[in-house]
Amino acid sequence: MASTASTPLYLAIDQGGHASRAIVFDSQAGAQAMAEAPVATLRSGDDRVEQDADAVAASVREVAERVLAKLGGWAAAVAAGGLATQRSSLVCWDRRTGAALSPVLSWQDRRAAKWLAGFAGEAERVHARTGLVLSAHYGASKFRWCLDHLPGVREALAEGRLALGPMASFLLFRLLAERPHVVDPANASRTLLWDFQTRDWAADLLDLFGVPRVALPACVPTRHAFGHFEAGAWRIPFRVMTGDQAAALFAGGAPAPQDAFANIGTGAFVQRIVGDKPVRLPGLLSGVVLEENGRPLYVVEGTVNGAGVALETVAGELGLRLADVLRQAPAWLAAATRPPLFLNGVSGLGSPYWVPDFPSRFVGAGEAPARIVAVLESIVFLLAVNLEALRGLSPMLRCVRLTGGLAALAGLAQRLADVSGLAVVCPEFREATARGLAYLVAGCPAAWPAAEARTFAPQPAPGLRRRYASWRCAMEEALPHAPRPTPTP
C-alpha cells in the first residue's frame, strides 16, 4: 500500500447488475484494495428481470469483509464508507427481522407495464412532479405488483412490519448495525413517487398508485449519519448512500456543467449538471444527484436501456459467448466498413422515445461480427440522440466524459466522438461509480485528482455519418411521432 498510517481511507461499495464490488481508496483517489463477488440475474421472459435479495445482501457483506481483510492492519485507517446501487431496483422486506419478502425487481423489470399504461393520462403530472416519464422501469408499478401478487407482502403490511424501498435502502438496513430505513435523493427519485422539488414523497402520487407511505423509507440527504458497519473488530461509519449513475458523475471530482457524462454498463446513461434548480426536457429525465446542507444538485439525463445487456442478448442469439465477443470486438470494430443497422429496443426503448415493447431488429444483412458492430453502433447512435437534446442546455458542451465497461473499446469511443462532434474523454480507471462514491465519502475534497485519460477527437467519418442518418430515418419510420426534446423551464 502507498498510504501511510496517518492517511484516512474510504470504503466504497458499488452494487451493480453483475457483481458487488468494494474498493478502498486513499485521500488521493488511489485504489488500495478491491474485492468483487458475482451476483446472478434471473430473466424469465422479456419483461421479468430479478435477483435473489438475500444473495445480493450477502454479496455486499462478503466484499466489504474481504476488502477490509486484504488491508490487514491498515483497515484501522478506514474513516468512513458509502454505498451506491442500481437506482430503480427495489425490494420488499420485514422491518422487524430484515427478511426479504420479494426478490430484487431489477431496474430492467417491466412486468407491470400494462397496469401502468392505465395511468397514461397522468403522464404530464408525473413528469412535472418527479422528473420521470411514466415507465415501468421505475418503482411505483413494481411496488404495486408486489402488493398485489405477493401474499407475504400484504400480510406484512397488515401487521405493520412491511418495509418497501429501493435496493439501497434494503442493503443498508441489512448491512448496518442500526438498521436504518432511509433513502437518499438519487434512489428515491427513481420511484415515480418522490417530488424532486420538495424532495419528499408526494402524497397525491402515493394515492394515485396505491403505495402506503407508512412502508416507505424516510427521505434523508445524500450525506447522512446512516449507521455503522460492524464485523469483528471493525466498526465503520457510513456517510453516503446514492445511485450508481449519480456517483459516477463525481469520479473526477466536482462535475463541470459544460461536460456531458456518459456511463456504459448494463445500460448506458448520459447526464448534464444543471445546478440547484430543476430543468425539464421532454423525453428526458430530471433528478437530484446530490443533496447536502439543504441544497440539491440537479441533472438532466438520457437513458439507453440496451447497452451491455443488448450486446449480451444478441451474442446469445448468435451462439457466441459474451467474453469472446468482448475480446474480439476491437478487431471487429476496426474492420467493419458496412455493418447493418440495429434498431435497439432491448430492455425497452429508452429516451427520448420511451417505447416499452419496441421490437429490436436488424436492417440489412451481415455475419456475426458485423451484427455485433451494429449493436455497438446502436448504443453510440442512441447516446448521440440524447446528446443532441442535452446540447440545448447552457453552457455550451465541450466534451463527453465516457466511463463504464464498454468505454474500454476505443472503436466505440471514437465513433461517439465522430457522430456527436464532441471530444470523448475516457479515464483509464474504469470503476467510475466507486471512485465517485469515494470522493463523496471523503467529503468532496478540493484536491481530488482526475484520473489519467485518453481523449478521442472527432474525425471525418462519412460512412459512419451516413449510417447514423439512415438509422435516424429507420427509427423515425418505426416511431413516426418520436419526440424532439426542447428545453422547458
Side-chain angles (χ1 to χ4, degrees), residues 352-402:
Y353 307 114
W354 298 108
V355 181
D357 55 355
F358 183 83
S360 301
R361 55 197 181 275
F362 288 96
V363 177
E367 299 299 320
R371 288 176 178 258
I372 292 297
V373 170
V375 174
L376 291 169
E377 288 192 349
S378 75
I379 300 168
V380 169
F381 295 162
L382 285 164
L383 285 172
V385 170
N386 284 284
L387 282 166
E388 288 178 20
L390 292 173
R391 288 181 105 140
L393 300 170
S394 181
M396 183 179 296
L397 267 181
R398 65 179 180 184
C399 71
V400 180
R401 298 194 178 273
L402 184 65

Side-chain angles (χ1 to χ4, degrees), residues 7 23 35 249 277 282 393 409 413 462:
T7 300
I23 306 179
L249 277 172
K277 298 290 189 297
L393 300 170
L409 295 174

Side-chain angles (χ1 to χ4, degrees), residues 134-169:
L134 195 69
S135 170
H137 286 288
Y138 308 121
S141 62
K142 293 175 181 152
F143 285 137
R144 192 63 248 174
W145 186 92
C146 291
L147 288 161
D148 289 341
H149 293 87
L150 300 180
V153 171
R154 292 198 299 273
E155 181 180 332
L157 176 62
E159 295 177 2
R161 52 185 175 83
L162 176 62
L164 304 172
M167 182 166 59
S169 301

Side-chain angles (χ1 to χ4, degrees), residues 118-139:
F119 297 89
E122 302 288 346
E124 177 52 34
R125 172 161 67 124
V126 169
H127 192 208
R129 297 293 300 284
T130 70
L132 301 179
V133 299
L134 195 69
S135 170
H137 286 288
Y138 308 121

Side-chain angles (χ1 to χ4, degrees), residues 1-9 26-27 32 74 77:
M1 283 186 57
S3 298
T4 66
S6 61
T7 300
L9 302 177
D26 62 26
S27 58
Q32 300 298 324
W74 294 99

Side-chain angles (χ1 to χ4, degrees), residues 125-325:
R125 172 161 67 124
V126 169
H127 192 208
R129 297 293 300 284
T130 70
L132 301 179
V133 299
L134 195 69
S135 170
H137 286 288
Y138 308 121
S141 62
K142 293 175 181 152
F143 285 137
R144 192 63 248 174
W145 186 92
C146 291
L147 288 161
D148 289 341
H149 293 87
L150 300 180
V153 171
R154 292 198 299 273
E155 181 180 332
L157 176 62
E159 295 177 2
R161 52 185 175 83
L162 176 62
L164 304 172
M167 182 166 59
S169 301
F170 168 71
L171 291 178
L172 282 192
F173 186 96
R174 290 281 288 264
L175 189 67
L176 303 185
E178 293 84 352
R179 286 190 164 183
H181 186 205
V182 294
V183 67
D184 66 286
N187 284 294
S189 67
R190 287 301 184 264
T191 62
L192 285 176
L193 302 170
W194 192 78
D195 188 316
F196 73 154
Q197 298 190 67
T198 65
R199 303 191 298 286
D200 200 355
W201 302 118
D204 60 329
L205 297 182
L206 296 176
D207 290 342
L208 178 68
F209 296 119
V211 176
R213 180 165 187 158
V214 67
L216 289 168
C219 299
V220 299
T222 307
R223 193 186 314 282
H224 180 74
F226 289 99
H228 296 81
F229 171 63
E230 296 180 348
W234 302 313
R235 190 172 190 267
I236 298 171
F238 265 59
R239 293 179 181 167
V240 174
M241 175 201 287
T242 190
D244 49 3
Q245 305 307 320
L249 277 172
F250 297 92
Q258 62 267 43
D259 296 348
F261 296 82
N263 195 38
I264 310 179
T266 303
F269 305 86
V270 58
Q271 304 175 80
R272 284 196 73 179
I273 295 291
V274 294
D276 61 0
K277 298 290 189 297
V279 173
R280 290 198 298 138
L281 294 178
L284 273 67
L285 311 178
S286 302
V288 178
V289 292
L290 177 67
E291 181 187 348
E292 59 178 340
N293 301 320
R295 185 174 181 180
L297 180 62
Y298 288 92
V299 295
V300 176
E301 178 179 329
T303 297
V304 178
N305 293 320
V309 68
L311 195 63
E312 181 178 15
T313 298
V314 173
E317 292 172 351
L318 294 171
L320 303 174
R321 294 176 63 248
L322 180 60
D324 294 334
V325 165

